[in-house]
Every structure is written in C-alpha cells, then in structure tokens.
Amino acid sequence: MWLVWAVGLAGYVLSITNRTSLSAVGVDAATRFNADASALSMFAVIQLAVYGGMQIPVGLLLDRFGARPVMTIGMVVMAAGQLVMAFASDVGIGILARVLLGAGDAAIFPSVLRVIATWFPAQRAPVLVQLTGIIGQLGQIVSVIPLAALLHATSWSVAFGSLAGLGMLFSVLIFVIVRNRPPTRSADVAVDTDTGTITVVRSSADLRQGFSEAWKHPGTRLAFWSHFTTPFAGNAFVILWGFPFLTAGEGLQPAEASLVLTAFVLFGITVGPVMGALSSRHPMRRSRWLVLPSIGLQAAAWITVAAWPGPAPLWLLLVLAFAMGTGGPASMIAFDHARAHNPSHRLSTATGIVNGGGFLAGLLAILFIGIAMDLQGAGTPDTYSLDAFRIAFLTQVPLWLVGATFIVVERKRTRIHLGLDRPRRP
C-alpha cells in the first residue's frame, strides 16, 4: 500500500520538475531559441493549456483503464517531450516538446489521487492528498538547483536528455510496482472503514448535465475564482519569469536567485499544513481569513517590489517569495469548496472546473508578462531591464482585482444559498 503510493508520489515529484524545468533556465532558453518574451511565454502558455485541456480525457481514461497504465503512458510522453526539448533548436520544435510535456504531466496527479482513493481508507484520503500536493512541490527545487547546475556544467542537450532518461526509468518503475487496486478487490472502489460504505471511484467529468449543474451552484463558482486568483503569481514566477527577473532584472547572482525560488517552495510547504488546519476548523470563514488575505499579501508584496527605488534588497525578495508561497496552499481551499457544495456524482466535474480556473489564470499571467516585456522593447535577454520587469509584473494586478471581486460576490451568494445570510432586497 505505502510502496504503491510512494512510487506514485515520486513520479509526481518528477512531473513537477518537468513542468517547471524552464524556471531556472529561461534566459538560456531565450538565447538557444532566439526567442523574444512573447515567444518564450508561449512555451509555458501552451504547456499549461494542454495540461488543462487533457484533464477530461485523462479522467475518462482513468475510469476505463485505471491508474497504472495511464500514469505509465504519461511518464513515457513526458520523457519524449524532454527528449525533443534536448535537441530542439527552434521555437516550433520547442513548443512541440512542451505540448508533449503538458499532455504527459496531465496524467500524473489525477492518477496519484486515484491510487490514494482505491488503496487507502476513505478517512485517510484527505490527508494523503494534501501530503502529496505538498511533497510534490519539491520537484520545483530540483528544477531550480540541480537541473540548472547540470545545464551550466554540461550542455542543454545533456540536461534535458537526463530528464528524459529519468522519465523512462520512472515509467518502468511505475509499471512494475503500481497496481490499479488492492488484490482483494475487483473494481476501483473507496472504502469507509468506519461505516463499511463502499463507493465506486470516478475520475472523469460528466460531459452532459454535469457542467451546467455544477456551475449553477455558487459554491462551485466561489471555488473557481478562489483557484483562479490565488496561485497564478507563484506559477508564473516559478514556471518561467522568476529567474530572469531575479538575475537580469534585480541583479542577483544565480545562487541568490535559486535561494529565493527555493524559499518560495519551502514557504509553501510550511504554510500548507497551517492553512489546511485553519480551513478545517473554520469552514465558514476560510475565504475571508485565508483566501482573500493571501491575495492581498501577494498584491502588496509585488507592488512594494515594483515601487522600490532601485533593486529590491534580498530580504524584500524573500518576503515576496513568502507572499507568493501562500498562494498554493490557499488555492487548495477551492477544492474544499468543491467537495462541500457538490454531491459525489458531480465531484469530478466540479473539480475539473475548479482546476481549470488556476491554469487559465496562470497562462494569462505568463502571457501578459511576456507581451508587456515586448511592448517595452525588452523582450530578449540582452534588453531585459528592471524597470521593464516591474511594469510587466504589474499586469497581474487586474487578475487579482477581477478574481477577488468575484470571490466576494460568490461568497455572498453561497452564504445566501446555504441560508446563512438573507437575500438582498430588490
């Protein structure tokens, strides 16, 4: 049981490493592909778009074939993507590599969740899901430090070829060790050991009435906007734009920039259990006490960094890393909303809607930053400047404002729907 989960978890760590593999080598990528900021943004935007678009097909495949083959194939596809990236020399081939990477990555986390649901008692599942999400973020540290060091010590092809080799190794490991379900069961089911209740595990969204029914509930919309607004700044930072901003913009040495990016990951891991505990104890206040404060903290930190005269001191950049680090744990509250406000037969649909919000905001943020850099004439590594980065990162502010506004509106509607508040008089 634990070995199956541990192998799946290790595969998820590698998928995060693959997902963020351009985070510390963005400048190298721009030079290798002779790409301006908008073209470089497309690497991450298309990757995230493919990831989001594959969620429903992956769910359908999980329901049909189970976690083992889906996760194995996902690893093979990611390995193929990194192999293509290792030898790519133009933007078109590089984008193809990221398409493969996004498609393979999309299969991993849902498969691990499926493993948890079918192998462990229902009472343990929420804790293991949170633990999987927290530990998985260590993959970002691998992409920031060891991968960047390997690239600079050897070559682009060796670094990304090594990731491809790791992917093939893990695909074999997963195929050998992971099983769809315990040998005592003949179907993918979750068991409540307190009540003896047995329920069939579903991973795919309902493509008929499920979407409209889920979206009609204000709790689902609250969850969507919560996941839309909280994690995108950190995702844009760690997936693509953080390292160029810290080195070419703020003038940090690569080791110092790696420290800031590592701190972002470690802060998120530290804050996660605290937010999880507070969310469980105060379910009626989590939007007001946790989600909105995280958004406000991130916006305030970025505005402070943008307004700072000259390069920001390292302590302020670490404060920025902490602020963005709260976004990931705060975004997990969205899935609590989805579980609380949707029946079990509609949960996969609601979860897919919510998950799409975060990736939509992430790709918009990455794209807006790249376009803003190009419009300022600072789209290539030799023209990057601190002032251009400051203005570019302020394009995140409208996303925060729109998201926070809808969170407030949908929170009120949810409370009215639950009978906690009175409807407003016409």
Side-chain angles (χ1 to χ4, degrees):
M1 177 188 299
W2 291 103
L3 179 61
V4 172
W5 174 67
V7 171
L9 175 61
Y12 179 53
V13 172
L14 180 59
S15 78
I16 295 293
T17 300
N18 284 316
R19 185 188 304 171
T20 59
S21 54
L22 288 182
S23 60
V25 297
V27 175
D28 302 86
T31 301
R32 179 178 179 85
F33 297 108
N34 193 26
D36 60 19
S38 295
L40 194 60
S41 292
M42 293 306 297
F43 280 74
V45 167
I46 291 176
Q47 176 187 335
L48 292 179
V50 171
Y51 181 101
M54 285 296 296
Q55 290 303 300
I56 293 174
V58 164
L60 295 171
L61 290 172
L62 281 170
D63 285 344
R64 176 66 178 85
F65 299 105
R68 180 195 186 197
V70 172
M71 196 173 187
T72 301
I73 292 172
M75 276 292 169
V76 172
V77 173
M78 275 197 294
Q82 293 294 33
L83 188 62
V84 172
M85 180 61 81
F87 297 101
S89 57
D90 61 69
V91 171
I93 301 300
I95 287 177
L96 172 63
R98 303 313 281 188
V99 168
L100 293 172
L101 204 62
D105 183 18
I108 306 304
F109 188 57
S111 296
V112 179
L113 297 186
R114 183 85 169 205
V115 166
I116 292 171
T118 55
W119 277 85
F120 291 88
Q123 292 87 337
R124 287 184 181 174
V127 174
L128 287 173
V129 169
Q130 288 287 342
L131 195 59
T132 299
I134 291 170
I135 297 175
Q137 301 314 306
L138 294 174
Q140 297 180 18
I141 297 178
V142 177
S143 65
V144 167
I145 300 176
L147 178 62
L150 179 62
L151 186 149
H152 295 138
T154 56
S155 68
W156 179 278
S157 296
V158 170
F160 284 90
S162 298
L163 283 179
L166 273 177
M168 290 306 300
L169 175 63
F170 269 85
S171 66
V172 173
L173 192 63
I174 288 166
F175 185 78
V176 170
I177 295 177
V178 173
R179 292 293 182 271
N180 288 348
R181 65 187 73 92
T184 56
R185 299 177 195 163
S186 59
D188 285 4
V189 296
V191 179
D192 187 321
T193 53
D194 287 340
T195 64
T197 302
I198 298 176
T199 56
V200 176
V201 176
R202 290 185 68 254
S203 298
S204 61
D206 184 345
L207 300 180
R208 293 159 295 183
Q209 294 181 338
F211 276 101
S212 61
E213 291 175 355
W215 185 254
K216 285 178 183 177
H217 198 296
T220 303
R221 299 196 297 271
L222 172 61
F224 174 89
W225 289 109
S226 297
H227 199 251
F228 178 96
T229 318
T230 46
F232 73 77
N235 288 339
F237 196 79
V238 77
I239 289 176
L240 187 61
W241 289 116
F243 205 84
F245 164 71
L246 294 171
T247 53
E250 293 288 348
L252 298 186
Q253 295 299 314
E256 294 174 311
S258 297
L259 171 64
V260 175
L261 287 168
T262 301
F264 162 76
V265 177
L266 295 179
F267 286 143
I269 292 173
T270 303
V271 170
V274 177
M275 281 201 173
L278 290 173
S279 176
S280 298
R281 293 177 185 176
H282 305 282
M284 295 295 105
R285 298 182 176 89
R286 50 196 174 195
S287 293
R288 181 177 292 177
W289 287 8
L290 299 174
V291 174
L292 290 173
S294 172
I295 297 167
L297 182 61
Q298 292 180 67
W302 262 118
I303 291 172
T304 302
V305 169
W308 196 269
L314 183 60
W315 66 263
L316 180 56
L317 295 174
L318 290 173
V319 170
L320 175 65
F322 173 78
M324 291 189 298
T326 67
S331 72
M332 293 296 103
I333 294 172
F335 296 105
D336 292 335
H337 288 310
R339 282 192 295 271
H341 300 299
N342 286 276
S344 59
H345 69 273
R346 211 168 61 205
L347 182 56
S348 293
T349 302
T351 300
I353 291 172
V354 172
N355 204 29
F359 284 96
L360 173 61
L363 66 87
L364 287 176
I366 291 170
L367 183 60
F368 289 169
I369 292 168
I371 292 174
M373 292 292 288
D374 282 342
L375 290 177
Q376 297 174 85
T380 56
D382 57 338
T383 59
Y384 287 165
S385 68
L386 178 56
D387 288 339
F389 272 118
R390 284 170 166 168
I391 293 173
F393 275 105
L394 288 178
T395 59
Q396 299 173 116
V397 173
L399 295 176
W400 281 316
L401 290 175
V402 169
T405 300
F406 277 105
I407 288 171
V408 172
V409 170
E410 298 300 345
R411 179 181 184 272
K412 181 67 174 178
R413 290 174 176 170
T414 301
R415 290 181 63 84
I416 293 172
H417 184 86
L418 296 175
L420 300 174
D421 289 345
R422 293 182 178 180
R424 295 178 179 176
R425 294 181 178 179

